[in-house]
């Protein structure tokens, strides 16, 4: 079992839990249930409570009472939108289109608001955009809707213009892509995921039983590691990537774990 303290922050695990199971539960998730579900992956009750408080301050969780009157938390509308946008990336099973075109984000922020310039850069990078030139960011065209939602939510949309287009040169697109993104760093992220979770899938493939608590634990850990990767890696078509790109293997491992463990883990989560 992976050591939570080494690989997984409690706040991240709570978001992952809501993304995998919590948002499908009827009504708010009771605090006691959050503590039980996080204890299964090694998070103690004080860490759960402090992490929930931080997520509440960020506007992602809202306090609410269950039908039985117990204290609990539900996702805010912004958090639901965030998870729904993320579903298209996190659970994508098909390879990216070969020729979908690009979306360009061009921004200009006044010097008097330069802190917003930093936030814009970090958000675009966090959404998987590469840097084509100062103030010009590029990503596969399918990332437009999620990027628009994110910038509107952060009230940064007034500083950005979007364009769709194709790359016409002068350099070959594969060469340009290697400048726009740090492909070596992205490949290392995929290799790290494989190092942690490929053996987990291998072990499950050799078993006939799928105990719910074990399935829940291994699935939640894998999802918590995986859900960040489709944002680090924008999902470029294969012909623009180096040969034997590890993202293909890491996606296959996650899909294998998702197929084998998600529904069995739902039984432990009370669904």
């Amino acid at each position: 079992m992976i050591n939570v303290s080494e690989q997984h922050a409690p706040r991240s695990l709570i978001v992952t839990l809501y993304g995998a199971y919590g948002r499908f539960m009827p009504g708010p998730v009771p605090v006691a249930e959050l503590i039980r579900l996080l204890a299964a992956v090694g998070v103690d009750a004080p860490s759960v409570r402090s992490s929930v408080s931080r997520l509440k301050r960020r506007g992602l969780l809202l306090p609410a009472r269950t039908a039985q009157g117990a204290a609990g938390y539900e996702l805010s509308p912004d958090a639901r939108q965030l998870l729904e946008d993320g579903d298209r990336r996190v659970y994508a099973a098909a390879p990216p289109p070969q020729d979908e075109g690009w979306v360009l984000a061009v921004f200009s922020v006044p010097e008097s608001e330069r802190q917003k310039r930093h936030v814009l850069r970090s958000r675009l990078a966090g959404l998987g955009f590469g840097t084509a030139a100062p103030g010009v960011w590029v990503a596969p065209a399918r990332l437009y809707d999620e990027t628009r939602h994110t910038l509107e939510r952060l009230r940064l949309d007034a500083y950005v213009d979007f364009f769709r287009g194709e790359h016409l040169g002068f350099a070959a697109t594969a060469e340009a892509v290697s400048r726009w993104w740090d492909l070596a760093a992205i490949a290392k992220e995929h290799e790290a995921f494989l190092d942690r979770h490929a053996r987990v899938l291998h072990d499950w493939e050799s078993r006939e039983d799928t105990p719910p608590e074990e399935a829940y634990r291994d699935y939640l850990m894998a999802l918590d590691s995986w859900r960040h990767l489709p944002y680090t890696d924008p999902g470029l078509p294969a012909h623009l990537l180096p040969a034997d790109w590890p993202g293909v293997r890491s996606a296959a491992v996650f899909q294998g774990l998702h197929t084998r463990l998600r529904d069995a883990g739902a039984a432990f989560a009370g669904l």
Side-chain angles (χ1 to χ4, degrees):
M1 178 173 144
I2 296 168
N3 187 317
V4 175
S5 64
E6 291 177 358
Q7 303 289 355
H8 302 269
R11 242 185 308 174
S12 177
L13 282 166
I14 291 170
V15 173
T16 301
L17 170 61
Y18 271 93
Y21 300 117
R23 60 179 155 154
F24 305 111
M25 294 178 182
V29 183
V31 173
E33 184 67 354
L34 284 174
I35 289 171
R36 179 186 78 88
L37 292 171
L38 272 297
V41 290
V43 181
D44 60 28
S47 296
V48 173
R49 293 183 187 279
S50 64
S51 297
V52 165
S53 294
R54 292 189 187 100
L55 291 168
K56 178 184 170 184
R57 286 197 296 271
R58 288 178 56 192
L60 297 177
L61 292 181
L62 302 175
R65 292 281 172 180
T66 68
Q68 294 74 34
Y73 286 89
E74 61 187 7
L75 292 167
S76 69
D78 280 351
R80 286 192 177 275
Q81 180 72 70
L82 194 67
L83 290 172
E84 288 168 9
D85 281 341
D87 285 349
R88 288 188 285 274
R89 297 203 205 197
V90 172
Y91 299 110
Q98 291 296 301
D99 190 21
E100 65 176 310
W102 305 96
V103 58
L104 293 180
V106 180
F107 67 82
S108 178
V109 180
E111 185 61 26
S112 60
E113 299 179 277
R114 58 182 176 273
Q115 177 57 27
K116 291 183 179 179
R117 189 182 306 142
H118 170 73
V119 175
L120 255 173
R121 287 172 180 153
S122 63
R123 289 295 176 172
L124 289 172
L127 287 162
F129 277 69
T131 311
V136 181
W137 293 65
V138 61
R142 67 183 178 280
L143 304 189
Y144 165 71
D145 286 336
E146 182 178 3
T147 304
R148 186 182 186 96
H149 293 158
T150 299
L151 298 185
E152 287 175 341
R153 184 169 62 249
L154 297 171
R155 296 182 175 85
L156 294 170
D157 48 302
Y159 304 96
V160 181
D161 282 308
F162 286 113
F163 302 87
R164 287 187 189 270
E166 57 182 312
H167 180 244
L168 299 176
F170 294 94
T173 304
E175 180 184 334
V177 158
S178 68
R179 296 196 307 268
W180 299 341
W181 285 276
D182 186 345
L183 296 180
I186 296 171
K188 285 182 180 179
E189 295 285 337
H190 284 294
E191 295 288 2
F193 179 85
L194 288 165
D195 287 345
R196 290 196 294 268
H197 299 286
R199 60 182 172 79
V200 178
L201 177 61
H202 180 269
D203 290 346
W204 279 106
E205 287 175 337
S206 67
R207 298 174 60 170
E208 295 184 2
D209 64 329
T210 315
E213 184 172 356
E214 285 185 59
Y216 163 85
R217 183 179 62 241
D218 285 349
Y219 180 64
L220 199 72
M221 300 294 242
L223 179 58
D224 193 57
S225 294
W226 172 258
R227 69 181 179 87
H228 304 283
L229 256 173
Y231 288 88
T232 302
D233 183 340
L236 300 171
H239 70 277
L240 298 179
L241 293 168
D244 195 29
W245 180 246
V248 177
R249 288 177 280 126
S250 66
V253 166
F254 174 71
Q255 287 297 330
L257 289 167
H258 176 75
T259 300
R260 177 65 186 269
L261 303 179
R262 193 272 170 193
D263 290 347
F268 180 76
L271 290 176

